[in-house]
Amino acid sequence: MGKIKVIFVVFFAVAVIGASAMFYMKKVEAEPETEKAISAEELAELSIDTDVITTNLASASNFAIVQFNILLSSEEAKAETEKRTPEVRAAIISTIAGLTKEQLIGGEGISILEKELSAKLGNIVETGEVDRVLVTEFKIQ
């Protein structure tokens, strides 16, 4: 009879612990992570517009005229990026010069360009992160 009581108590304890764990996990899943929405003022404070850049494309006799808006994670990252303007321009030019006119045409081409530049610029900026890169002017000839 004593063994049955011990088994019953152990079973009951495991059941309570398991139910508590399941309750906790469901509660954690139900609570969405609330990201702070960035206001327009904060966007303006944390972003940089590049100059209009004209560069040749990998395809013969084609060139692109582009301008970007770079959103950074902090004021420190923005200040660093402004100081590294030549490196930023070089990254942009080398990325675009490696693409053909056919690769850049359409929304998918612009999306690929934004992702590639975001990754390259993320390697340049050391004090923060590049949150996103947007194409704000785009002409291909």
Side-chain angles (χ1 to χ4, degrees):
M1 184 81 160
K3 286 185 180 182
I4 294 177
K5 286 183 184 180
V6 172
I7 292 173
F8 180 76
V9 169
V10 169
F11 177 78
F12 183 75
V14 170
V16 168
I17 291 171
S20 299
M22 287 182 60
F23 176 78
Y24 176 75
M25 294 302 288
K26 286 190 179 208
K27 184 176 179 183
V28 169
E29 287 179 5
E31 294 177 23
E33 291 184 24
T34 56
E35 289 188 21
K36 187 178 104 175
I38 297 177
S39 68
E41 291 81 24
E42 290 173 324
L43 268 174
E45 290 174 10
L46 296 176
S47 65
I48 297 172
D49 288 320
T50 65
D51 296 330
V52 174
I53 298 172
T54 303
T55 186
N56 291 326
L57 297 175
S59 50
S61 2
N62 294 120
F63 65 92
I65 301 170
V66 294
Q67 184 175 21
F68 298 93
N69 178 273
I70 305 165
L71 178 63
L72 299 142
S73 61
S74 66
E75 287 287 334
E76 294 82 18
K78 179 181 177 182
E80 179 192 359
T81 305
E82 288 173 338
K83 291 176 185 173
R84 293 179 178 258
T85 300
E87 291 175 77
V88 170
R89 286 182 58 86
I92 291 170
I93 290 169
S94 68
T95 302
I96 295 170
L99 299 171
T100 64
K101 180 179 179 180
E102 291 74 28
Q103 289 173 312
L104 291 171
I105 292 176
E108 186 177 316
I110 291 173
S111 178
I112 290 169
L113 178 60
E114 289 173 342
K115 288 177 186 174
E116 283 187 31
L117 277 176
S118 185
K120 272 192 178 180
L121 296 178
N123 292 331
I124 293 171
V125 179
E126 296 174 355
T127 57
E129 295 179 5
V130 175
D131 287 343
R132 72 167 188 230
V133 175
L134 297 176
V135 175
T136 55
E137 185 172 334
F138 186 73
K139 298 174 190 167
I140 297 178
Q141 185 64 36

